[in-house]
Amino acid sequence: MRILLDIRDTYCLKGIAMLMIIISHTFNGYPVGSSNIYFPLWMNKLHMELWGGMGVAIFLFLSGYGLFTTLSMRHNIDRKYIALKAKRLLEPFMIYWIVEIIVLAIFCREALSTHLFTEIVTFSIHPNVENWFFKVIAVIYFIMLVLFRFHLRNTVRITIIFVLSVVSLLVMKKLGFGQWWWNNILCFPLGALFAYKYDFFSGLSSRLICLSTGVLLLAIYHIHMNTIVFHMLFSVFCVYSLRLINIQSMVLYYIGFNSFVFYFIECPVMDNIMMFSYSSFPVYSILSVIGTFILSYLCINIKNFLSKE
């Protein structure tokens, strides 16, 4: 029997999640109600506008699972470790802004203004995109590091994570935040729970879990996909599917390992570089994915080269 999640499976699944997010962003980049103009109507049946939320659900689940597993095995969460985590989280954002300014200087020089510095210090994406995914991940990482700095039982940690996630969900919903802020947030503590109760969840039948969650997903699909329950079930379905199929790929692993670089770099690629193909959704989407991969690959290699100097 294959283990529940190994490191290569985790990064490959993150790679798939990031591709879903990128494709969803290209789909949502078109004006509302423009499906007859830009792409065939059958594409609406695929609900590509919701793939981003599904990709985020996978990403949050895997982050909860991976972070809880890693921190549980460490005897000491010292400042050096926290600094390394912060560096890995912030590096992609800084790479993005260097690239964004260069791209704006080439494609949209009038956008270069002092307002860009405001966007940088507020961890936003140009132009004035709230960058909610990055901010949610950063806050979650901070909370997890704080919890593991104290000598608490894992049961207590899991309970605190779930309670804080539910509270944030309710508060953000009450304050009128976009549903993307809260409708998949519970996937993170769910992933942490799977890590905590690993022996139990790894002993479950993969076929039975995939069949049962698959049936439920199909039922919810015909009601409303963009829900909390759908995202939680979808992340569980994907994780157990890895025990039945092999998705390991060098490309997917690379995207998953450098997922935040891809997440950020897609913005200047979609918003500026590939806009010449905007009149055709399939072409625009394919070129955006290819362009994101090429530019991300260049940025990662330049960063690695400079790190060695």
Side-chain angles (χ1 to χ4, degrees), residues 105-116:
I106 297 172
F107 292 92
C108 189
R109 192 165 297 178
E110 62 273 15
L112 293 174
S113 67
T114 55
H115 182 66
L116 293 176

Side-chain angles (χ1 to χ4, degrees), residues 137 164 230:
I137 288 290
L164 290 178
F230 183 89

